[in-house]
Amino acid sequence: MLTFSQNIQYLSCKDTVLLRVDFNLSRDKDGVFVITHRFLSMLPVIKQIVAKGCSLIIVSHLGRPKPGVRNEVYSFASLAPVLAEAIDMPVSFLSHWPQQKTYLAPGSVALAENIRFHEGDANNSKKLAEKMVEDVTLVVMEAFACSHRNHASTVGIVDCASRVILGPCHEQEIVAIEKFRCFSGKRMAIVAGKKITTKLALLEQMVEKMDVLCLAGGIANTLLHCQGFNLGCSFVEYSQLRAASALMDLIRTKNIQMVLPVDVVVCENLQDSASVRTTTIDAIDPQEQIIDVGPKTIEHYKKHLHAMEMVYWNGPLGIYEHEFGMAASASLAQALSDCSASTLLGGGDTLSLLHVLGCKGYSHVSMGGGAFLHYMAHGTSPVLSAMSAYEDGNQLCEEQRS
């Protein structure tokens, strides 16, 4: 498959390009879009395409509006002028695309309305996908963060497009994750999150590949509960105790070093700073809940970092939205930024945490949440599978013609 840079050499003013991005941005208290790395990383590819003289339609989703209902809370109308300022050129807003006929001059840019306003997107309507690519000569699939979704604006347009390629950021994501998956040196993974159910496939992959596996959050709580610890009012996924026990058995079988919290930060009420304290894992009171891992646990994590050649981190270690649950994640983020190992960070909440902390200096920070987890666990995505089928079909057509 040709790379993005190789493919765009053949673009011209005769082409209309559909660029699928991920502008699923949050808003501040005044309703203004919060501009993050996810938005800024899309600007170079927009400029590269426009520089070839193409007309460009930018497509994204925003939130989870009720399909078929226009809700201004989820509209991209106010993002169009922000994008125009960012790329220093006019950006048209297509309020009813793809139903409205679109005539774009060569070298012009348009931002389509939230694609999830359409009923057919989430259920991968072929009719909607065909409509989206009706007058498009090239689809650039740049939204890695949506590549695990079997939607009309992801898999559907790949299936229906006359020509489709991956965008440069999408390519970089695959290269970085594959490098981690195929690495044969000393590796360590730090995985946190509320539920084992959402990360079980990932954890099973980690067990096959890691030398050290550090666990925190609700995942660690559930494992600790299986070991007989009384965790007070802390979240435990009781429906997954059997899966948690099986995971620990697998870890022992593979002789992986598992690191669970030895101390934690607890409280009775997140709004009451006086109730916040640090304690060992075996001394949690019945009315308390775990809100973060403790300093001794973080030191255990850091101790292992020195011997590692590659480290992966997914998920904040505590309830980072509250100041009392932020300290461990902040300490780990800084340690990873300073360490000599290659560092791969991923997950939607991890991105949000890094944005709050302002930390930098990592080998790769993935813009995907669920897509990152899916690729780590399976080595592919629905979009990439569709791309493979597309490539195979093109190759077959070439063979038949020759």
Side-chain angles (χ1 to χ4, degrees):
M1 183 187 298
L2 294 177
T3 65
F4 172 79
S5 59
Q6 290 170 325
N7 271 288
I8 65 166
Q9 296 179 23
Y10 304 104
L11 294 179
S12 71
C13 60
K14 297 179 181 179
D15 289 299
T16 297
V17 177
L18 188 161
L19 176 64
R20 178 50 161 108
V21 300
D22 181 15
F23 283 170
N24 190 22
L25 306 171
S26 59
R27 299 179 191 253
D28 63 20
K29 56 184 176 59
D30 298 317
V32 178
F33 282 102
V34 178
I35 301 305
T36 63
H37 177 66
R38 180 173 282 183
F39 175 85
L40 297 175
S41 64
M42 295 296 107
L43 303 184
V45 65
I46 293 172
K47 293 177 180 179
Q48 283 179 275
I49 293 171
V50 173
K52 301 299 291 186
C54 311
S55 54
L56 176 62
I57 302 171
I58 301 171
V59 179
S60 179
H61 73 282
L62 176 63
R64 296 182 178 180
K66 184 177 179 181
V69 178
R70 292 182 61 84
N71 184 334
E72 293 307 310
V73 172
Y74 298 103
S75 175
F76 277 131
S78 63
L79 187 63
V82 176
L83 179 59
E85 183 177 357
I87 62 174
D88 194 27
M89 64 178 296
V91 175
S92 305
F93 178 62
L94 307 179
S95 58
H96 292 86
W97 184 88
Q99 279 72 22
Q100 68 184 121
K101 195 68 176 177
T102 306
Y103 297 98
L104 296 176
S108 61
V109 180
L111 175 64
E113 180 58 284
N114 186 356
I115 195 61
R116 285 194 181 165
F117 283 171
H118 296 278
E119 289 189 79
D121 187 42
N123 60 15
N124 193 11
S125 161
K126 184 176 181 181
K127 183 178 179 180
L128 177 60
E130 288 176 338
K131 190 68 177 175
M132 282 191 275
V133 300
E134 190 173 59
D135 298 313
V136 168
T137 53
L138 174 68
V139 168
V140 178
M141 183 53 64
E142 185 66 308
F144 169 76
C146 309
S147 62
H148 64 311
R149 304 291 187 191
N150 192 24
H151 291 176
S153 61
T154 55
V155 172
I157 56 176
V158 170
D159 288 337
C160 297
S162 59
R163 188 172 160 217
V164 57
I165 62 174
L166 292 180
C169 291
H170 202 145
E171 290 175 343
Q172 290 168 15
E173 292 275 10
I174 302 306
V175 169
I177 301 174
E178 278 298 322
K179 180 181 178 182
F180 183 83
R181 284 169 53 85
C182 300
F183 189 73
S184 59
K186 297 284 285 184
R187 286 180 294 182
M188 170 179 168
I190 304 152
V191 181
K194 188 173 183 180
K195 295 183 177 182
I196 283 183
T197 48
T198 59
K199 296 186 179 179
L200 186 57
L202 171 68
L203 289 168
E204 289 171 345
Q205 277 284 324
M206 294 293 101
V207 172
E208 296 293 334
K209 299 176 183 297
M210 297 301 110
D211 297 286
V212 178
L213 180 59
C214 303
L215 300 168
I219 293 172
N221 292 354
T222 304
L223 297 177
L224 289 165
H225 178 83
C226 288
Q227 294 181 347
F229 287 98
N230 185 346
L231 305 180
C233 298
S234 306
F235 175 84
V236 173
E237 199 172 6
Y238 293 102
S239 65
Q240 295 300 311
L241 295 181
R242 183 176 296 179
S245 295
L247 178 64
M248 286 192 291
D249 289 341
L250 179 62
I251 291 171
R252 282 190 287 267
T253 301
K254 297 294 183 179
N255 200 29
I256 303 300
Q257 186 166 359
M258 178 174 65
V259 182
L260 289 171
V262 294
D263 66 335
V264 288
V265 179
V266 297
C267 72
E268 295 182 21
N269 185 342
L270 272 170
Q271 309 308 318
D272 179 15
S273 60
S275 72
V276 178
R277 71 185 184 100
T278 301
T279 184
T280 56
I281 199 68
D282 58 353
I284 301 171
D285 292 338
Q287 70 276 14
E288 293 177 322
Q289 64 171 318
I290 298 171
I291 58 174
D292 204 357
V293 301
K296 290 182 180 178
T297 300
I298 285 296
E299 288 308 310
H300 286 180
Y301 292 176
K302 290 180 182 178
K303 180 183 69 175
H304 290 291
L305 282 179
H306 301 301
M308 296 299 132
E309 298 172 73
M310 187 168 282
V311 182
Y312 162 65
W313 179 24
N314 176 277
L317 306 179
I319 305 176
Y320 74 97
E321 296 89 347
H322 295 272
E323 59 176 312
F324 308 125
M326 172 76 82
S329 294
S331 180
L332 178 61
Q334 189 59 56
L336 289 175
S337 179
D338 295 337
C339 77
S340 59
S342 295
T343 48
L344 174 62
L345 282 64
D349 287 336
T350 312
L351 278 176
S352 299
L353 170 69
L354 294 178
H355 179 69
V356 171
L357 294 175
C359 290
K360 297 179 181 179
Y362 310 106
S363 304
H364 183 74
V365 178
S366 175
M367 289 181 288
F372 180 88
L373 297 178
H374 189 284
Y375 193 95
M376 283 291 294
H378 304 288
T380 188
S381 69
V383 162
L384 288 175
S385 296
M387 291 279 290
S388 295
Y390 167 86
E391 290 292 324
D392 291 344
N394 274 4
Q395 184 175 353
L396 180 61
C397 288
E398 290 294 333
E399 290 173 353
Q400 290 173 339
R401 280 195 290 268
S402 62

